[in-house]
């Protein structure tokens, strides 16, 4: 404990209990689980192993708090969120240290993430006071119709480890702005960031029970089951794999919860023959290698027009040779480890599969055991073909896999040849093509001549088996509201 705490300006941000009803509590069983630094495998801290009964208490706390929180003036909720944003920025460096300790990403990336995470509170503090309904002309002239937007109730929020701050704030921001209360299941791999955020919610004066943060590793499935079947929970928001999403959706059907699911992607990244290749390179580095390829919106299949293919692939190889892979706290490190050994193993399998089917290895392709078991080298594969595993599965690792194409139509068909549809990117200087391709891609988000598309103002989410619902932007709050029609007779 001294190790991690000594790196913090304010060691009281390091919490090892869950936050329920405004208090810090352990599991009733007294059980805990270990949080590990994925770079060094060092023990960082231990967190409570919550079970079904512990989770029930958090849900009851959120339920009790909802009765008064839903009636607080929107302006008051906005001020709490704004204060929470301000406290995150005041404690930026400490939060970043906590994130890097448990997630492994380079410290500078953690700083960027915490700023991005806080921006959802800023954004939704502004949205809280701008929830509008309609007046509607009734068919019967003796009646008037209005709509009211009301908070849906207690929300179960299940967050992933890849952005331990931002994936929580992107859910909590709109929930609190709307007047909902929440039970957050923190990611088992990276729960300490979530707990530090809870401490800042406390300091921001957010009333007890409005925000509850719970942790579990072995009991993750049990806790997930409670959150997705409990009649008090009216909405579940989940970010994670498509497989787990399907399971949770089944569980939620018993009580017909409202759902937002941000699931897996398999993003195409298309470079047309008329693209600005320097810009495309910048976009690709941002999209493909952010967090060593462990984001849902990472480019997974890079499609390049044959006339610029060799040149662009070589530009990418030259660029990745400048990367420095290592412990996220190391000086000059640009890329950290994968989250655990299983992730590194899957990346290795994707490389082997592609090479066994004819792909050419241009860079990397091997684990980096000298750095630790979770490290995998930045990899560039050329001559990719449909039928390889990378075409069908999200790699979630640092492989840039290149496919050549000859026509726009072929590129679009390749891009859409997947069951998921989260993000897609393309680079072209032809404005007509830009519209055509943006409309043709079967995805929820398109980056045109840009590789970094995450923004609190933008509606984030997918189509097909990438899920539904939108997080962020003016649409983000709708997922936490119900629409009530009020018809008034005027005679
Ligand atoms: C992700 O969901 O993995 C990406 C998150 C983001 O860019 O906001």
């Amino acid at each position: 404990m001294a190790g991690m705490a000594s790196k913090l300006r304010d060691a009281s941000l390091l919490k090892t209990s869950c936050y329920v009803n405004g208090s810090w509590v352990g599991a009733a069983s007294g059980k805990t689980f270990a949080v590990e630094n994925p770079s060094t495998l060092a023990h960082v801290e231990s967190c409570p192993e919550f079970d079904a009964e512990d989770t029930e208490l958090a849900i009851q706390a959120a339920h009790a708090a909802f009765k008064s929180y839903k009636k607080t003036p929107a302006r008051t909720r906005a001020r709490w969120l704004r204060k929470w944003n301000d406290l995150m920025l005041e404690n930026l460096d400490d939060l970043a240290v906590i994130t890097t300790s448990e997630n492994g990403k380079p410290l500078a990336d953690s700083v960027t993430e915490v700023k991005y995470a806080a921006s959802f509170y800023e954004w939704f503090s502004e949205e809280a006071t701008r929830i509008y309904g309609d007046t509607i002309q009734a068919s019967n002239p003796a009646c008037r119709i209005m709509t009211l937007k009301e908070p849906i109730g207690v929300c179960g929020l299940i967050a992933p480890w890849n952005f331990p701050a931002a994936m929580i704030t992107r859910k909590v921001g709109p929930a609190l702005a709307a007047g909902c209360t929440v039970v957050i299941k923190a990611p088992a791999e990276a729960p300490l960031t979530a707990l530090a955020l809870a401490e800042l919610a406390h300091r921001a004066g957010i009333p007890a029970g409005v925000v509850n943060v719970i942790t579990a590793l072995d009991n993750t499935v049990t806790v997930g089951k409670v959150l997705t079947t409990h009649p008090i929970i009216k909405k579940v928001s989940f970010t994670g794999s498509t497989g787990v999403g399907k399971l949770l959706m089944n569980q939620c059907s018993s009580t017909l919860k409202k759902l937002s699911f941000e699931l897996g992607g398999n993003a195409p990244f298309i470079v047309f023959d008329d693209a600005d290749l320097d810009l495309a390179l910048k976009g690709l580095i941002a999209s493909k290698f952010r967090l060593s390829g462990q984001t849902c919106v990472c480019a997974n299949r890079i499609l390049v027009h044959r006339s610029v293919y060799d040149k662009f692939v070589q530009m990418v190889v030259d660029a990745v040779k400048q990367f420095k892979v290592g412990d996220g706290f190391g000086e000059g490190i640009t890329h950290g480890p994968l989250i655990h050994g299983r992730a590194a193993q899957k990346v290795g399998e994707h490389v082997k599969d592609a090479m066994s089917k004819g792909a050419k290895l241009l860079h990397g392709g091997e684990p980096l055991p000298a750095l630790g078991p979770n490290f995998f080298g930045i990899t560039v594969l050329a001559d990719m073909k449909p039928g390889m595993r990378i075409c069908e599965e999200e790699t979630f690792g640092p492989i840039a896999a290149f496919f050549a194409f000859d026509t726009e139509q072929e590129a679009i068909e390749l891009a859409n040849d997947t069951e998921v549809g989260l993000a897609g990117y393309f680079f072209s200087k032809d404005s007509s093509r830009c519209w055509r391709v943006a409309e043709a891609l079967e995805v929820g988000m398109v980056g045109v001549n840009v590789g970094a598309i995450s923004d609190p103002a933008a509606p984030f989410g997918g189509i097909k088996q990438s899920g539904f619902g939108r997080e962020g932007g003016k649409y983000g709050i709708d997922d936490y509201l119900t629409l009530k029609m009020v018809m008034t007779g005027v005679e």
Side-chain angles (χ1 to χ4, degrees):
M1 170 147 185
M4 164 73 151
S6 66
K7 288 188 178 152
L8 303 177
R9 187 175 52 89
D10 176 358
S12 64
L13 282 176
L14 187 58
K15 294 292 179 199
T16 55
S17 305
C18 292
Y19 185 66
V20 175
N21 206 17
S23 299
W24 294 98
V25 296
S29 66
K31 286 190 187 150
T32 60
F33 66 93
V35 181
E36 226 175 47
N37 178 327
S39 291
T40 59
L41 304 194
H43 176 84
V44 181
E45 270 304 341
S46 294
C47 286
E49 183 69 62
F50 258 35
D51 61 15
E53 284 75 38
D54 300 315
T55 305
E56 174 72 30
L57 294 180
I59 293 171
Q60 292 299 343
H63 186 45
F66 179 63
K67 295 187 177 81
S68 50
Y69 185 71
K70 68 179 177 188
K71 295 194 184 132
T72 53
R75 181 66 62 192
T76 305
R77 300 198 298 269
R79 287 198 184 110
W80 279 323
L81 280 172
R82 180 68 207 206
K83 180 76 186 158
W84 201 355
N85 160 79
D86 295 348
L87 287 171
M88 284 182 69
L89 297 179
E90 279 166 30
N91 291 280
L92 180 63
D93 292 338
D94 281 350
L95 292 173
V97 167
I98 294 172
T99 297
T100 290
S101 300
E102 60 184 357
N103 168 288
K105 66 177 75 177
L107 195 55
D109 289 359
S110 292
V111 168
T112 304
E113 184 194 336
V114 175
K115 286 186 192 160
Y116 173 49
S119 73
F120 286 103
Y121 289 158
E122 183 180 41
W123 172 270
F124 283 107
S125 74
E126 292 154 356
E127 291 298 281
T129 55
R130 297 188 170 83
I131 299 170
Y132 301 104
D134 318 286
T135 57
I136 301 170
Q137 306 233 21
S139 309
N140 179 348
C143 290
R144 302 289 180 271
I145 298 173
M146 284 175 60
T147 58
L148 303 179
K149 301 253 184 92
E150 298 180 341
I152 190 162
V154 178
C155 303
L157 310 179
I158 306 178
W161 50 264
N162 60 347
F163 293 90
M167 295 305 95
I168 286 179
T169 59
R170 191 156 77 186
K171 298 178 192 308
V172 175
L176 264 59
C180 299
T181 59
V182 298
V183 178
I184 304 161
K185 163 65 175 69
E189 297 85 347
L192 299 168
T193 304
L195 296 172
L197 293 184
E199 167 63 15
L200 295 179
H202 192 84
R203 292 184 196 175
I206 295 174
V210 172
V211 174
N212 304 275
V213 181
I214 64 175
T215 63
L217 171 64
D218 291 342
N219 291 339
T220 291
V221 171
T222 307
V223 168
K225 181 117 196 230
V226 176
L227 290 176
T228 51
T229 53
H230 202 294
I232 284 178
I233 301 263
K234 297 294 184 283
K235 189 228 156 68
V236 166
S237 174
F238 168 69
T239 298
S241 72
T242 297
V244 174
K246 287 179 183 176
L247 192 94
L248 296 180
M249 189 166 173
N250 263 333
Q251 291 175 184
C252 287
S253 69
S254 62
T255 48
L256 281 183
K257 299 187 194 314
K258 186 164 176 169
L259 305 177
S260 339
F261 278 0
E262 199 260 275
L263 309 176
N266 184 353
F269 187 105
I270 311 172
V271 181
F272 286 104
D273 46 355
D274 60 0
D276 173 335
L277 293 189
D278 291 320
L279 192 64
L281 177 67
K282 193 165 159 243
L284 181 67
I285 301 299
S287 162
K288 174 64 249 179
F289 293 109
R290 177 173 171 228
L291 187 52
S292 300
Q294 299 174 107
T295 85
C296 303
V297 288
C298 273
N300 207 48
R301 296 164 296 142
I302 307 160
L303 318 177
V304 185
H305 191 272
R306 205 174 297 279
S307 66
V308 291
Y309 182 86
D310 289 339
K311 182 172 180 199
F312 187 66
V313 172
Q314 190 55 48
M315 286 167 74
V316 175
V317 172
D318 293 343
V320 302
K321 283 185 180 158
Q322 310 305 315
F323 291 0
K324 201 167 156 204
V325 180
D327 183 335
F329 285 113
E331 191 61 36
I333 293 300
T334 56
H335 294 81
L338 300 180
I339 192 68
H340 40 49
R342 290 190 309 286
Q345 191 184 333
K346 179 179 177 192
V347 174
E349 284 167 9
H350 275 199
V351 173
K352 281 201 189 94
D353 170 78
M355 288 177 66
S356 73
K357 292 173 183 159
K360 195 154 94 200
L361 181 66
L362 299 182
H363 187 75
E366 298 287 344
L368 302 174
L371 293 175
N374 297 345
F375 285 91
F376 199 95
I378 303 290
T379 298
V380 180
L381 286 172
D383 298 349
M384 295 291 298
K385 299 269 167 340
M388 295 175 178
R389 271 182 74 184
I390 291 175
C391 303
E392 276 131 40
E393 293 172 34
E394 186 177 31
T395 302
F396 236 60
I399 305 177
F402 286 91
F403 302 70
F405 70 86
D406 292 299
T407 65
E408 183 181 304
Q409 192 51 33
E410 185 190 354
I412 290 167
E413 279 167 20
L414 277 170
N416 289 340
D417 186 18
T418 169
E419 287 177 342
V420 292
L422 189 59
Y425 309 83
F426 68 90
F427 284 70
S428 167
K429 285 194 213 142
D430 175 338
S431 62
S432 299
R433 169 177 274 164
C434 286
W435 279 110
R436 231 172 21 241
V437 178
E439 288 169 9
L441 288 179
E442 295 170 359
V443 293
M445 297 173 284
V446 184
V448 185
N449 294 320
V450 64
I453 55 169
S454 303
D455 186 315
F460 189 105
I463 60 169
K464 294 160 80 175
Q465 294 192 35
S466 286
F468 36 74
R470 290 295 177 265
E471 296 190 317
K474 71 170 183 167
Y475 303 99
I477 205 159
D478 288 341
D479 277 292
Y480 295 87
L481 293 165
T482 54
L483 187 73
K484 181 182 278 175
M485 187 280 287
V486 180
M487 184 178 285
T488 309
V490 292
E491 281 181 341

